[in-house]
Every structure is written in structure tokens, then in C-alpha cells.
Amino acid sequence: MGLLSLGTPLPWEESRQYSEHIRKNGLAQLINMFNAAYNRSDDKYLWGDEVEYILVQFNEKLKTAKINIDKDYILEDLNKSGEMFELAKLNNANFHPEYGRFMIEATPLKPYDGDSIDDYLYVEKNMNMRRVVAERALNDSNIKPLTITSYPLMGVGNFTEPKSEPNGNASRSLFLPDEIINRHVRFPTLTANIRKRRGEKVAINIPMFQDKFTSKNDESIPLNRGLFPEDEEPSLGAAKPGHIYLDSMGFGMGCSCLQVTVQAPNINKARYLYDSWANLAPIFLSLTAAAPIFKGYLADQDVRWNVISGAVDDRTPIERGVEPLRKGHEYGNIREDHKDHVQRIPKSRYDSIDSYLGDLQTSNEQNQEPSYRFFKESLNDISPPINDLVLKLLLNDPNKHFDKPLASHFAHLYIRDPLVIFNERINQNNEQDTDHFENIQSTNWQTLRFKPPTQAATPDNKSIPGWRVEFRSMEIQITDFENAAFSTFIALIGQAFIHHPDVLNFYIPISKIEENMKLAHKRDSVLNDKFFFKKNVLDDGYEFGEFTMDEIINGGENFIGLIAIVKTHLKNNFNIDLTKDDPEHSRLYYYLLLISKRASGEIPTTANFIRSFVTKHKEYKQDSKINDIINYELLEKINRISNYQNENNELVEFFGEELSTYLIGNKLVREQY
Ligand code: ADP
Ligand code: MG
Ligand code: MG
Ligand code: MG
């Protein structure tokens, strides 16, 4: 998330008057961006990660662990001049606001140099320092910035510190107070506008884990509140039997994740990288699974993705193709004169990507038209809804910067309405500004994001970022070691793609990636499921098969495995033969070992570890419920693990003998660099 615009955000009833204005000008901005930056070439492989933290306040006496919602001022301290800002800068850390008042995000201030092996080894140190700086800014030893994907007791009783009540008008949630939402007006407005456009509160139903004494229904739903008209929605059918019912944006946007952005040398390589990463998104969602608990219940799934997807789902009933909860409300609150143009939209604006961009290659031979190396149109086999006008305009762009797959990509993003418009920013200079484009782009939250440069990013202006691609599916892990392992893995394999666009062919029909995305949600999908994957990633064909996670990562009879690709790349590009005995690079060896062991099932995923902790806890009553003490002890344990402490042998349980021995012996010391 970039800097927050200041100003007056428009409520939905006003905002919807400008939807077309934003789209039209956002498109003009996009075309200008392409005109400026299309011919950039030889940009460096720079990259960076984003880590999101949840501020957990422990109370040892009462044995509670709540989310803290009054320390958000630290973000200002860390971003405005002063001691904390200096400390962040000194440690190359940059702190960003997030949806939750109890959340912070941190990135490296300067991106890493992907051509420098030292920088891959620096990632974890930088992550470590971000925690140190955050803890210093918090200045309260009871409050910890934990890297957990979901806070287990979100929406259960008094779960905030200080206390707050679920009676706010922005979300109108039965469970989540508006006080958990970032104070900046953008966020409550976003929350309210999604609800208003949809015409109902969001309704997320997550399958409840069925244990011996699990109740048939979510027992936490207050049935007779009568504070807002929406309070009756669960009894009108919004809450499904056998499911955990979540009714507010905060349940999803209050989750933390791990993202990686890399810069490609030019637009065509960025497109190829995007396509090559496409199927890794579900694979790495499954492998990083870390969210088995929502609203105090064990879920019958392991990840956050569909929770966030539902949490920002602003589609009206008619767009979703379902009956409205209240008769006559099928159009939600879209504009009267837009009702004629409504189309069916199968997916939320937070979802997996819908199409490949195509691996366009420009030939060196004269008069040779650009062509695709591996991509073919039939791989884009799910026909997402598109904005026809946008498609036409882009295809007719006189500079011919948009071929069919690229134009279709943007035409799909442009089916959405802008959700928050600032009154002061309605009229812009399309030669310079990008807000309108970003408004649409940054509220299409997909597994990957193709990030075009701004109008200032002309080929000679290297100080402005170029064509970037973002990998967005991963769940945040408990330790910096794991977060560094997964980020560097994604960056390294991304670099292998960039270096071998003629060799590595990961294309399978996009509909199969959709299926993988569903599989990745399942409980222990790492162990139990087979994912669709290209059979031979080194051939020109398209034959795919079904593979276990172990085969995909570690290789098997018919597949070399992703780790082998990364190792080969390290050898070819950095001349490194990775072994545990190489003192300089052994940490990278252990990163791969972690990923390998998670994939083979030798050590548990974070979700599996959390779930077993709960089900084995003496207070657990086989009813799928997590109480205060289980929550407290779980988060204490997570806090200890994040410090590589091995009380009760828990580091060994989590990482296994080999990795925990290594980690205990090779801790990154938490101090200022
Ligand atoms: P967003 O939330 O929109 O994804 P952030 O600013 O939070 O954006 O994160 C962007 C990431 O991209 C950071 O890790 C940052 O270090 C990295 N980054 C910055 N500049 C570049 C660049 N030129 N190329 C690649 N990555 C970059
Ligand atoms: Mg960010
Ligand atoms: Mg973020
Ligand atoms: Mg991001």
C-alpha cells in the first residue's frame, strides 16, 4: 500500500457517480504509463518482501492475549522525523499502515539487489531488524508484533486491548468493533462502501472442523440484536449451517501475509514471469498454510485466502448469481442507470488471477512481428467477464502496446467500481497522476499483480521503478527464518525464469490453476492432495499431470522439482554449490531444507502445528472451540518460537531436529546493526 491520500473520502452514494470518470481517466493514465515506459530495458532485478505483523498484547496475570488497538501511533513515529524514524532508516526498514489498527507492515526501505548473493543473505537480517525497530517503537514488553496469519480469537468476546464494542456503523458487524479498523478515513469508508455497494453485509462461511462434540451451527451469532437492519441477515440465510459465519471486512483484511515484488528487465519478461509464477501461487499458498482458526473455531481448512476473498466481496446478488437476502435487493446499491449493464461476475475482486498475460518475445530479426514463445490463447480457458469498452480502447491503442491477453487482463480489472474516491482528487492530470489507475488496480487483490511503472519511468530514468510483478498468495510464517526462506525462494525462482524464458515452460490451462487454488485451501493439502502441474517444465508441450507437493518441490520420478531448479540457478548464476558446510551460503541451504521438509511432510506446516497444539491441549473439549487459555498459550508459544526458544522442545516439534539444532546454533541476534 502506498502513501495514504489525504482528503475527504466519498460515501458510496456519492462515490458511485464517479465510477465511470475514474475508470475513464484511470485508463488514460495507464495508456500514458505504457507510452512512457514501454521501451524500458535492462532494468536490474531488484526485489523486496512485505511482512505483516499483528500486535498482540499479553497479560501474564490474567492469561490473555488480545490484539492491541491503541499503539497505531507508532506508524507515525516511524514515518515522520524523529528518533524512531531515524532508527528505521538506519536499519533500512520502512513501515506501512495496514487495514487493522492492530497491524503494521514492514518492507526493506531500499529494495534488494537480486544479482548480489549477499543480498539474499541479508533479507533475514533486515526482517530481524524490522522486528527490533517495531518492538522499540512499541516500547512495551507485553506487546509483540507477531507474524501470525490470523488472530485466533478475532471477533470473540473482549478480544481487543483496550476494550471495544461491536456496534460501529462502518462495518455494522455483529462481532468486530469499528475500533479495530485503521483510523485513517480511507479504511472505514472502504468497509462501509463495500457493504453498501453489495447491499448486504459481506457473508463469509468457512467450513467448521467437525470434531466429536462440534455444534451443528456457529453458536456465537447474536440472534436478536436489533441495532442495525443488517443484524437479521444471519437468520435470513447469510449464515450457513456447519460453517463459521464472518460478517465483516476485518476478518479477512485483518489477516497477515507475505508478499514479494520483483522488477523485470523489461515488460515482456515481466509478462513471462507473471505467467510462470501463476501456478506457483496456489502451490505456495498450500505450503505456507498458517490459518486454521477463525473467530475462535477450528476451521476445516488451513488458509486465509477465501476469508479475505469474501471479506471484500462487493458484488451485488445479481452479479454473484444468487438470490438476495431481502426481496427486491438483487442490484444492491448500484446506480439506477447502471442496472442495464450489469453482468454476472463469478469471482470476488480478491481472488486468483483469471488469465495469463502471454510471454511475448520480440525478435531481433528485422520486420519480424513479436510472437509468443510458449503461450497460446487456449490456455486462457476461463473467460472472465471484461469491460468491453476498455478492451476495445486498449486493442485500438495507436502505439500497439496492448495485444489481446494484455488488453484482456486490464479489461477484466476494469469491470470493478472504485471503492474509495477522495473528493480532492477527482480531477487529475493524466500525464502525471496515477491515482485513478491505482484506485482500480490496487483494489483488484489477486494472487499476482502486474505492476506497471509510472509516467515518469521513461527508459533513461532508472531512478523510477520499472515493470514489476508481485507474488501475493503466501501466508505469513512465525519466524523471520521461514519468511526469508520463502521470499528468497520466490525471488530466486523468479530470476531463474527471467534468465531462461526460452527454456522454462510452466504453462498449464488456467482453469487447472483455479482448481489448485481450491485444493490449497484444504486441511493438510500438502500431505493429502495432488496438484495440477506441468509434466515436463523443460519441454515445449503442454502436458500436465497431478503431483504431490513432495514431487513438485523435491522432485520425483517424472519431475525434477522446484528446488532443483533453484539449485541449478544458484550454480549457473552465482557459481554456488549449495551445501551445509559452505560457511558463507549455508543459510540458503537451510532455507531450501525448510521448504523441502515442509513439502515432504517431514515437518508440519504452520497450520498443522497450530491445529495439533489446539486439539492436544488439555482445555480443548473436542468441540472445535478455542478458549482464552488455549489462545494465550498458543500465542505465547508462537512468540517463543519467533525468538527460536526451545522451551518444552517446541522448536524441535515445529522445525524438526536438524533445522532446530541449526537455528539454535545460528541465531540472528536481535540488536541494532
Ligand atoms: P504494495 O503494498 O503496493 O505491494 P509496498 O511498497 O508495500 O507496495 O511493497 C513493495 C515492495 O517492492 C517492497 O518490498 C519494496 O522493497 C519493493 N520494491 C521497491 N522498489 C522496487 C523495484 N524497483 N523493484 C522491485 N521491487 C521494488
Ligand atoms: Mg505493501
Ligand atoms: Mg500489506
Ligand atoms: Mg504488496
Side-chain angles (χ1 to χ4, degrees):
M1 193 171 305
L3 274 184
L4 294 170
S5 312
L6 286 172
T8 322
L10 301 180
W12 176 248
E13 298 74 13
E14 286 174 53
S15 167
R16 64 186 178 183
Q17 308 303 326
Y18 296 101
S19 296
E20 205 48 39
H21 169 85
I22 303 290
R23 273 191 291 263
K24 184 170 154 231
N25 288 283
L27 193 69
Q29 293 173 1
L30 174 70
I31 291 170
N32 288 338
M33 289 151 70
F34 266 68
N35 286 344
Y38 197 80
N39 291 322
R40 272 179 88 106
S41 64
D42 302 319
D43 280 342
K44 278 176 83 78
Y45 192 71
L46 301 177
W47 71 282
D49 67 86
E50 295 164 69
V51 172
E52 291 170 352
Y53 307 79
I54 291 180
L55 305 182
V56 174
Q57 183 156 351
F58 291 95
N59 186 322
E60 210 185 322
K61 256 209 201 119
L62 301 176
K63 301 266 180 277
T64 57
K66 305 190 179 193
I67 55 171
N68 175 285
I69 54 171
D70 69 355
K71 282 283 187 178
D72 50 325
Y73 62 84
I74 66 164
L75 282 164
E76 276 188 33
D77 295 351
L78 289 161
N79 279 288
K80 288 196 181 136
S81 60
E83 192 196 347
M84 284 306 126
F85 172 70
E86 291 304 324
L87 188 67
K89 207 165 65 174
L90 184 70
N91 287 290
N92 190 27
N94 195 8
F95 290 84
H96 313 245
E98 254 304 326
Y99 178 81
R101 207 176 283 183
F102 56 95
M103 299 171 83
I104 50 177
E105 179 185 295
T107 64
L109 180 60
K110 283 194 298 293
Y112 315 120
D113 176 358
D115 292 321
S116 149
I117 197 70
D118 290 347
D119 270 22
Y120 292 98
L121 292 159
Y122 163 70
V123 174
E124 190 180 343
K125 294 181 187 155
N126 185 271
M127 287 178 175
N128 177 48
M129 287 320 298
R130 287 180 232 164
R131 264 186 221 261
V132 174
V133 173
E135 282 175 13
R136 276 277 286 280
L138 284 164
N139 195 26
D140 182 335
S141 60
N142 295 316
I143 306 175
K144 300 288 176 195
L146 297 186
T147 39
I148 46 174
T149 296
S150 69
Y151 167 70
L153 293 188
M154 184 66 111
V156 185
N158 293 328
F159 67 101
T160 66
E161 186 62 54
K163 195 173 163 198
S164 56
E165 300 290 337
N167 56 15
N169 191 40
S171 72
R172 301 193 170 182
S173 171
L174 292 163
F175 313 102
L176 298 188
D178 279 358
E179 285 79 5
I180 66 148
I181 305 173
N182 189 313
R183 258 174 250 268
H184 188 285
V185 278
R186 182 186 135 79
F187 296 93
T189 309
L190 186 59
T191 312
N193 286 3
I194 286 173
R195 172 172 56 70
K196 288 186 196 163
R197 186 186 188 285
R198 181 177 161 106
E200 298 167 356
K201 280 193 297 187
V202 294
I204 310 143
N205 285 280
I206 298 304
M208 197 182 285
F209 175 69
Q210 296 300 311
D211 210 338
K212 218 167 167 183
F213 304 115
T214 306
S215 59
K216 264 239 250 0
N217 297 314
D218 182 337
E219 289 175 334
S220 66
I221 307 170
L223 292 177
N224 302 307
R225 185 169 78 162
L227 180 61
F228 299 112
E230 288 84 352
D231 289 358
E232 61 172 1
E233 287 179 2
S235 40
L236 297 178
K240 307 258 181 283
H243 288 72
I244 310 163
Y245 167 69
L246 311 171
D247 67 345
S248 184
M249 187 169 170
F251 282 110
M253 281 295 179
C255 291
S256 289
C257 69
L258 174 66
Q259 299 174 337
V260 175
T261 297
V262 311
Q263 175 169 274
N266 57 47
I267 180 175
N268 287 350
K269 291 253 173 86
R271 292 171 62 172
Y272 165 70
L273 173 62
Y274 181 97
D275 289 3
S276 305
W277 265 354
N279 199 21
L280 298 192
I283 298 301
F284 278 82
L285 174 61
S286 161
L287 203 51
T288 57
I293 305 171
F294 290 96
K295 211 180 65 179
Y297 281 108
L298 280 175
D300 197 12
Q301 66 172 53
D302 275 354
V303 302
R304 77 196 189 290
W305 191 270
N306 57 352
V307 178
I308 321 189
S309 179
V312 294
D313 191 357
D314 67 327
R315 292 172 302 157
T316 63
I318 200 158
E319 286 167 339
R320 280 178 285 135
V322 300
E323 287 294 316
L325 294 173
R326 296 177 203 81
K327 258 204 157 39
H329 284 68
E330 34 293 89
Y331 288 94
N333 283 309
I334 59 172
R335 252 170 69 165
E336 206 53 46
D337 57 334
H338 283 181
K339 289 186 178 169
D340 295 343
H341 315 294
V342 162
Q343 54 182 339
R344 174 91 170 77
I345 305 179
K347 285 158 73 176
S348 161
R349 50 203 301 158
Y350 195 112
D351 220 309
S352 50
I353 61 160
D354 293 272
S355 59
Y356 289 116
L357 300 179
D359 59 342
L360 196 72
Q361 296 194 336
T362 320
S363 159
N364 292 329
E365 284 166 43
Q366 275 213 325
N367 304 326
Q368 190 82 25
E369 285 281 309
S371 60
Y372 305 111
R373 172 69 178 94
F374 298 120
F375 171 76
K376 53 180 187 176
E377 281 205 23
S378 58
L379 293 165
N380 276 340
D381 62 342
I382 55 171
S383 332
I386 51 169
N387 182 323
D388 290 325
L389 177 64
V390 169
L391 183 71
K392 202 170 100 196
L393 289 170
L394 290 178
L395 288 177
N396 291 337
D397 165 46
N399 293 310
K400 300 216 174 311
H401 288 154
F402 300 88
D403 52 356
K404 173 95 181 296
L406 197 57
S408 309
H409 164 77
F410 288 111
H412 173 60
L413 304 189
Y414 273 75
I415 63 166
R416 310 289 175 179
D417 280 342
L419 292 171
V420 182
I421 299 169
F422 286 90
N423 196 20
E424 295 79 0
R425 302 287 301 154
I426 291 172
N427 293 312
Q428 303 212 328
N429 176 352
N430 293 339
E431 305 289 328
Q432 283 174 14
D433 296 326
T434 58
D435 289 27
H436 292 337
F437 167 71
E438 283 297 337
N439 195 328
I440 301 291
Q441 159 101 335
S442 69
T443 54
N444 271 279
W445 296 276
Q446 300 186 319
T447 40
L448 303 176
R449 186 175 284 162
F450 181 63
K451 293 175 163 176
T454 65
Q455 300 90 327
T458 49
D460 51 348
N461 192 357
K462 297 282 185 189
S463 64
I464 309 283
W467 300 94
R468 285 143 301 139
V469 187
E470 183 180 25
F471 192 89
R472 302 166 48 84
S473 64
M474 291 190 285
E475 310 227 306
I476 200 75
Q477 307 293 292
I478 295 173
T479 62
D480 293 329
F481 172 75
E482 298 159 275
N483 290 318
F486 282 106
S487 322
T488 48
F489 192 93
I490 291 300
L492 282 169
I493 202 161
Q495 194 178 37
F497 289 127
I498 300 260
H499 286 201
H500 301 290
D502 289 316
V503 180
L504 293 170
N505 171 12
F506 274 51
Y507 282 107
I508 65 169
I510 204 117
S511 60
K512 294 292 162 202
I513 298 183
E514 290 278 297
E515 290 188 44
N516 283 347
M517 202 60 196
K518 294 202 175 75
L519 291 172
H521 280 75
K522 290 172 65 174
R523 194 149 45 86
D524 288 328
S525 60
V526 163
L527 305 176
N528 305 329
D529 288 290
K530 287 192 167 192
F531 294 84
F532 295 102
F533 217 84
K534 181 77 193 308
K535 271 199 169 156
N536 179 355
V537 294
L538 302 173
D539 75 9
D540 283 11
Y542 302 95
E543 206 189 338
F544 59 87
E546 289 172 73
F547 296 90
T548 62
M549 186 61 77
D550 190 26
E551 288 168 320
I552 293 170
I553 300 294
N554 293 314
E557 220 174 287
N558 301 311
F559 184 65
I560 54 168
L562 301 181
I563 288 192
I565 293 176
V566 168
K567 279 191 172 159
T568 309
H569 177 65
L570 282 168
K571 174 77 186 141
N572 292 345
N573 200 49
F574 298 100
N575 201 21
I576 293 173
D577 278 313
L578 215 50
T579 68
K580 62 174 106 177
D581 305 318
D582 170 355
E584 251 184 284
H585 307 116
S586 57
R587 207 148 187 104
L588 295 178
Y589 170 89
Y590 285 98
Y591 290 165
L592 297 189
L593 194 66
L594 168 80
I595 292 170
S596 167
K597 285 177 189 279
R598 285 258 167 93
S600 70
E602 189 187 322
I603 61 173
T605 61
T606 311
N608 180 296
F609 181 77
I610 293 175
R611 188 186 294 281
S612 343
F613 174 81
V614 172
T615 53
K616 286 186 199 138
H617 197 284
K618 59 181 186 310
E619 286 271 332
Y620 177 65
K621 304 197 175 59
Q622 290 177 281
D623 56 358
S624 310
K625 284 188 190 159
I626 285 85
N627 64 13
D628 272 328
I629 191 74
I630 302 178
N631 174 67
Y632 173 77
E633 290 183 5
L634 172 65
L635 293 175
E636 279 268 280
K637 187 191 265 290
I638 285 175
N639 181 41
R640 286 193 299 272
I641 290 179
S642 77
N643 287 300
Y644 311 101
Q645 287 166 255
N646 190 30
E647 254 166 66
N648 327 310
N649 208 35
E650 56 210 11
L651 204 65
V652 176
E653 272 171 39
F654 188 50
F655 281 122
E657 200 69 59
E658 187 179 6
L659 279 163
S660 50
T661 307
Y662 169 75
L663 284 168
I664 292 166
N666 294 274
K667 275 189 200 178
L668 286 180
V669 186
R670 292 261 178 96
E671 60 186 28
Q672 192 177 321
Y673 283 90

